[in-house]
Amino acid sequence: MRYSAVFALDDPDALVGAGLSCPSCLSDATQLSVGADLIGRCGCNTCGGAWSLDLEPQQLLRLSLDPPAAADVRFSRASQLPPGELF
């Protein structure tokens, strides 16, 4: 399954966490691995579900600066964008 992420750069943690929640069981205890293609590959620690999220550069910035507490967000080295690509 592939979805578009639904949170903004200035959203509070609760909304960002909800945007990363498992679409099957709605748990926010998730793992997110972000690659250079701005696609987050996600997995649920509760039910074992797997899905992908399309991320915008501003969402990537939000996750890198202040990820939600319940989510395990990781970045590959290739996902680092030049500053001009973030806005």
mmCIF file of all heavy atoms in Angstrom, residues 36-63:
data_model
loop_
_atom_site.group_PDB
_atom_site.id
_atom_site.type_symbol
_atom_site.label_atom_id
_atom_site.label_comp_id
_atom_site.label_asym_id
_atom_site.label_seq_id
_atom_site.Cartn_x
_atom_site.Cartn_y
_atom_site.Cartn_z
ATOM 1 N N ALA A 36 16.349 8.547 -0.653
ATOM 2 C CA ALA A 36 16.573 9.716 -1.499
ATOM 3 C C ALA A 36 15.378 10.032 -2.386
ATOM 4 O O ALA A 36 15.221 11.161 -2.837
ATOM 5 C CB ALA A 36 17.813 9.503 -2.353
ATOM 6 N N ASP A 37 14.516 9.059 -2.622
ATOM 7 C CA ASP A 37 13.365 9.258 -3.493
ATOM 8 C C ASP A 37 12.184 9.905 -2.778
ATOM 9 O O ASP A 37 11.119 10.072 -3.351
ATOM 10 C CB ASP A 37 12.936 7.927 -4.093
ATOM 11 C CG ASP A 37 12.697 6.847 -3.039
ATOM 12 O OD1 ASP A 37 12.777 7.140 -1.827
ATOM 13 O OD2 ASP A 37 12.443 5.699 -3.425
ATOM 14 N N LEU A 38 12.372 10.316 -1.506
ATOM 15 C CA LEU A 38 11.326 10.925 -0.674
ATOM 16 C C LEU A 38 10.141 9.993 -0.447
ATOM 17 O O LEU A 38 9.021 10.430 -0.274
ATOM 18 C CB LEU A 38 10.848 12.255 -1.243
ATOM 19 C CG LEU A 38 11.882 13.381 -1.255
ATOM 20 C CD1 LEU A 38 11.277 14.659 -1.822
ATOM 21 C CD2 LEU A 38 12.460 13.621 0.108
ATOM 22 N N ILE A 39 10.422 8.720 -0.450
ATOM 23 C CA ILE A 39 9.410 7.731 -0.111
ATOM 24 C C ILE A 39 9.809 7.106 1.214
ATOM 25 O O ILE A 39 10.939 6.643 1.385
ATOM 26 C CB ILE A 39 9.272 6.652 -1.198
ATOM 27 C CG1 ILE A 39 8.780 7.280 -2.494
ATOM 28 C CG2 ILE A 39 8.325 5.544 -0.740
ATOM 29 C CD1 ILE A 39 8.738 6.332 -3.666
ATOM 30 N N GLY A 40 8.882 7.143 2.163
ATOM 31 C CA GLY A 40 9.120 6.518 3.452
ATOM 32 C C GLY A 40 8.593 5.098 3.436
ATOM 33 O O GLY A 40 7.447 4.866 3.086
ATOM 34 N N ARG A 41 9.444 4.163 3.766
ATOM 35 C CA ARG A 41 9.019 2.771 3.884
ATOM 36 C C ARG A 41 8.721 2.527 5.352
ATOM 37 O O ARG A 41 9.581 2.727 6.202
ATOM 38 C CB ARG A 41 10.088 1.836 3.357
ATOM 39 C CG ARG A 41 10.027 1.736 1.839
ATOM 40 C CD ARG A 41 11.385 1.988 1.223
ATOM 41 N NE ARG A 41 11.314 1.988 -0.232
ATOM 42 C CZ ARG A 41 11.524 3.076 -0.939
ATOM 43 N NH1 ARG A 41 11.753 4.227 -0.352
ATOM 44 N NH2 ARG A 41 11.484 3.022 -2.250
ATOM 45 N N CYS A 42 7.485 2.140 5.626
ATOM 46 C CA CYS A 42 6.992 2.084 6.997
ATOM 47 C C CYS A 42 6.668 0.660 7.424
ATOM 48 O O CYS A 42 6.285 -0.171 6.601
ATOM 49 C CB CYS A 42 5.720 2.922 7.127
ATOM 50 S SG CYS A 42 5.893 4.604 6.545
ATOM 51 N N GLY A 43 6.800 0.436 8.713
ATOM 52 C CA GLY A 43 6.427 -0.831 9.309
ATOM 53 C C GLY A 43 5.817 -0.579 10.673
ATOM 54 O O GLY A 43 6.197 0.348 11.381
ATOM 55 N N CYS A 44 4.847 -1.400 11.043
ATOM 56 C CA CYS A 44 4.157 -1.260 12.320
ATOM 57 C C CYS A 44 4.752 -2.222 13.338
ATOM 58 O O CYS A 44 4.856 -3.423 13.071
ATOM 59 C CB CYS A 44 2.665 -1.530 12.142
ATOM 60 S SG CYS A 44 1.726 -1.394 13.663
ATOM 61 N N ASN A 45 5.111 -1.698 14.499
ATOM 62 C CA ASN A 45 5.656 -2.526 15.570
ATOM 63 C C ASN A 45 4.571 -3.337 16.269
ATOM 64 O O ASN A 45 4.879 -4.280 16.982
ATOM 65 C CB ASN A 45 6.381 -1.663 16.598
ATOM 66 C CG ASN A 45 7.596 -0.984 16.026
ATOM 67 O OD1 ASN A 45 8.204 -1.462 15.081
ATOM 68 N ND2 ASN A 45 7.950 0.153 16.584
ATOM 69 N N THR A 46 3.309 -2.975 16.085
ATOM 70 C CA THR A 46 2.203 -3.637 16.767
ATOM 71 C C THR A 46 1.650 -4.809 15.971
ATOM 72 O O THR A 46 1.562 -5.923 16.472
ATOM 73 C CB THR A 46 1.077 -2.626 17.069
ATOM 74 O OG1 THR A 46 1.632 -1.549 17.836
ATOM 75 C CG2 THR A 46 -0.059 -3.273 17.826
ATOM 76 N N CYS A 47 1.275 -4.559 14.709
ATOM 77 C CA CYS A 47 0.620 -5.618 13.921
ATOM 78 C C CYS A 47 1.503 -6.181 12.812
ATOM 79 O O CYS A 47 1.122 -7.144 12.149
ATOM 80 C CB CYS A 47 -0.698 -5.119 13.332
ATOM 81 S SG CYS A 47 -0.518 -3.980 11.935
ATOM 82 N N GLY A 48 2.667 -5.572 12.562
ATOM 83 C CA GLY A 48 3.564 -6.056 11.523
ATOM 84 C C GLY A 48 3.214 -5.573 10.128
ATOM 85 O O GLY A 48 3.823 -6.015 9.157
ATOM 86 N N GLY A 49 2.256 -4.658 10.008
ATOM 87 C CA GLY A 49 1.871 -4.126 8.704
ATOM 88 C C GLY A 49 3.002 -3.358 8.043
ATOM 89 O O GLY A 49 3.921 -2.875 8.709
ATOM 90 N N ALA A 50 2.938 -3.235 6.718
ATOM 91 C CA ALA A 50 3.949 -2.495 5.960
ATOM 92 C C ALA A 50 3.247 -1.640 4.907
ATOM 93 O O ALA A 50 2.255 -2.059 4.319
ATOM 94 C CB ALA A 50 4.921 -3.460 5.289
ATOM 95 N N TRP A 51 3.765 -0.426 4.694
ATOM 96 C CA TRP A 51 3.207 0.487 3.725
ATOM 97 C C TRP A 51 4.268 1.518 3.363
ATOM 98 O O TRP A 51 5.320 1.573 3.971
ATOM 99 C CB TRP A 51 1.936 1.173 4.259
ATOM 100 C CG TRP A 51 2.169 2.096 5.408
ATOM 101 C CD1 TRP A 51 2.262 3.454 5.363
ATOM 102 C CD2 TRP A 51 2.354 1.743 6.782
ATOM 103 N NE1 TRP A 51 2.497 3.971 6.625
ATOM 104 C CE2 TRP A 51 2.553 2.929 7.516
ATOM 105 C CE3 TRP A 51 2.378 0.537 7.471
ATOM 106 C CZ2 TRP A 51 2.773 2.936 8.882
ATOM 107 C CZ3 TRP A 51 2.599 0.552 8.836
ATOM 108 C CH2 TRP A 51 2.785 1.735 9.530
ATOM 109 N N SER A 52 3.979 2.330 2.358
ATOM 110 C CA SER A 52 4.886 3.391 1.921
ATOM 111 C C SER A 52 4.179 4.729 1.996
ATOM 112 O O SER A 52 2.962 4.806 1.818
ATOM 113 C CB SER A 52 5.343 3.160 0.484
ATOM 114 O OG SER A 52 6.096 1.986 0.380
ATOM 115 N N LEU A 53 4.955 5.778 2.264
ATOM 116 C CA LEU A 53 4.437 7.140 2.306
ATOM 117 C C LEU A 53 5.205 8.014 1.331
ATOM 118 O O LEU A 53 6.439 8.026 1.350
ATOM 119 C CB LEU A 53 4.593 7.752 3.702
ATOM 120 C CG LEU A 53 3.639 7.338 4.789
ATOM 121 C CD1 LEU A 53 4.047 7.999 6.104
ATOM 122 C CD2 LEU A 53 2.219 7.699 4.439
ATOM 123 N N ASP A 54 4.480 8.738 0.493
ATOM 124 C CA ASP A 54 5.102 9.769 -0.336
ATOM 125 C C ASP A 54 5.268 11.010 0.534
ATOM 126 O O ASP A 54 4.299 11.492 1.121
ATOM 127 C CB ASP A 54 4.214 10.106 -1.536
ATOM 128 C CG ASP A 54 4.150 8.976 -2.543
ATOM 129 O OD1 ASP A 54 5.157 8.267 -2.710
ATOM 130 O OD2 ASP A 54 3.095 8.800 -3.171
ATOM 131 N N LEU A 55 6.477 11.513 0.630
ATOM 132 C CA LEU A 55 6.783 12.668 1.475
ATOM 133 C C LEU A 55 7.175 13.869 0.626
ATOM 134 O O LEU A 55 7.887 13.733 -0.369
ATOM 135 C CB LEU A 55 7.926 12.341 2.427
ATOM 136 C CG LEU A 55 7.659 11.243 3.442
ATOM 137 C CD1 LEU A 55 8.967 10.744 4.037
ATOM 138 C CD2 LEU A 55 6.736 11.746 4.527
ATOM 139 N N GLU A 56 6.718 15.038 1.038
ATOM 140 C CA GLU A 56 7.132 16.293 0.422
ATOM 141 C C GLU A 56 8.418 16.758 1.128
ATOM 142 O O GLU A 56 8.686 16.359 2.264
ATOM 143 C CB GLU A 56 6.039 17.350 0.590
ATOM 144 C CG GLU A 56 4.743 17.007 -0.118
ATOM 145 C CD GLU A 56 4.907 16.968 -1.625
ATOM 146 O OE1 GLU A 56 5.700 17.769 -2.164
ATOM 147 O OE2 GLU A 56 4.245 16.138 -2.263
ATOM 148 N N PRO A 57 9.224 17.595 0.495
ATOM 149 C CA PRO A 57 10.459 18.074 1.141
ATOM 150 C C PRO A 57 10.208 18.736 2.501
ATOM 151 O O PRO A 57 10.984 18.544 3.437
ATOM 152 C CB PRO A 57 11.030 19.069 0.131
ATOM 153 C CG PRO A 57 10.530 18.584 -1.188
ATOM 154 C CD PRO A 57 9.147 18.042 -0.905
ATOM 155 N N GLN A 58 9.104 19.483 2.649
ATOM 156 C CA GLN A 58 8.808 20.125 3.924
ATOM 157 C C GLN A 58 8.504 19.092 5.007
ATOM 158 O O GLN A 58 8.836 19.281 6.185
ATOM 159 C CB GLN A 58 7.616 21.089 3.790
ATOM 160 C CG GLN A 58 7.892 22.271 2.904
ATOM 161 C CD GLN A 58 7.649 21.976 1.429
ATOM 162 O OE1 GLN A 58 7.326 20.863 1.035
ATOM 163 N NE2 GLN A 58 7.813 22.985 0.602
ATOM 164 N N GLN A 59 7.876 17.981 4.637
ATOM 165 C CA GLN A 59 7.602 16.916 5.594
ATOM 166 C C GLN A 59 8.899 16.229 6.015
ATOM 167 O O GLN A 59 9.081 15.888 7.183
ATOM 168 C CB GLN A 59 6.621 15.914 5.001
ATOM 169 C CG GLN A 59 5.242 16.504 4.795
ATOM 170 C CD GLN A 59 4.347 15.628 3.951
ATOM 171 O OE1 GLN A 59 4.806 14.958 3.018
ATOM 172 N NE2 GLN A 59 3.066 15.623 4.279
ATOM 173 N N LEU A 60 9.798 16.053 5.081
ATOM 174 C CA LEU A 60 11.107 15.489 5.394
ATOM 175 C C LEU A 60 11.854 16.384 6.390
ATOM 176 O O LEU A 60 12.452 15.901 7.348
ATOM 177 C CB LEU A 60 11.916 15.325 4.111
ATOM 178 C CG LEU A 60 13.327 14.784 4.247
ATOM 179 C CD1 LEU A 60 13.307 13.359 4.768
ATOM 180 C CD2 LEU A 60 14.033 14.850 2.909
ATOM 181 N N LEU A 61 11.768 17.689 6.176
ATOM 182 C CA LEU A 61 12.390 18.641 7.096
ATOM 183 C C LEU A 61 11.775 18.506 8.489
ATOM 184 O O LEU A 61 12.501 18.447 9.487
ATOM 185 C CB LEU A 61 12.230 20.062 6.571
ATOM 186 C CG LEU A 61 12.807 21.178 7.434
ATOM 187 C CD1 LEU A 61 14.315 21.024 7.568
ATOM 188 C CD2 LEU A 61 12.454 22.531 6.836
ATOM 189 N N ARG A 62 10.466 18.428 8.568
ATOM 190 C CA ARG A 62 9.786 18.288 9.866
ATOM 191 C C ARG A 62 10.235 17.018 10.585
ATOM 192 O O ARG A 62 10.510 17.023 11.784
ATOM 193 C CB ARG A 62 8.268 18.285 9.658
ATOM 194 C CG ARG A 62 7.425 17.912 10.871
ATOM 195 C CD ARG A 62 7.641 18.875 12.025
ATOM 196 N NE ARG A 62 6.628 18.750 13.040
ATOM 197 C CZ ARG A 62 6.705 17.933 14.087
ATOM 198 N NH1 ARG A 62 7.763 17.169 14.252
ATOM 199 N NH2 ARG A 62 5.739 17.896 14.978
ATOM 200 N N LEU A 63 10.317 15.920 9.854
ATOM 201 C CA LEU A 63 10.722 14.654 10.462
ATOM 202 C C LEU A 63 12.182 14.677 10.909
ATOM 203 O O LEU A 63 12.547 14.053 11.898
ATOM 204 C CB LEU A 63 10.481 13.498 9.500
ATOM 205 C CG LEU A 63 9.018 13.178 9.207
ATOM 206 C CD1 LEU A 63 8.925 12.104 8.142
ATOM 207 C CD2 LEU A 63 8.287 12.759 10.475
#
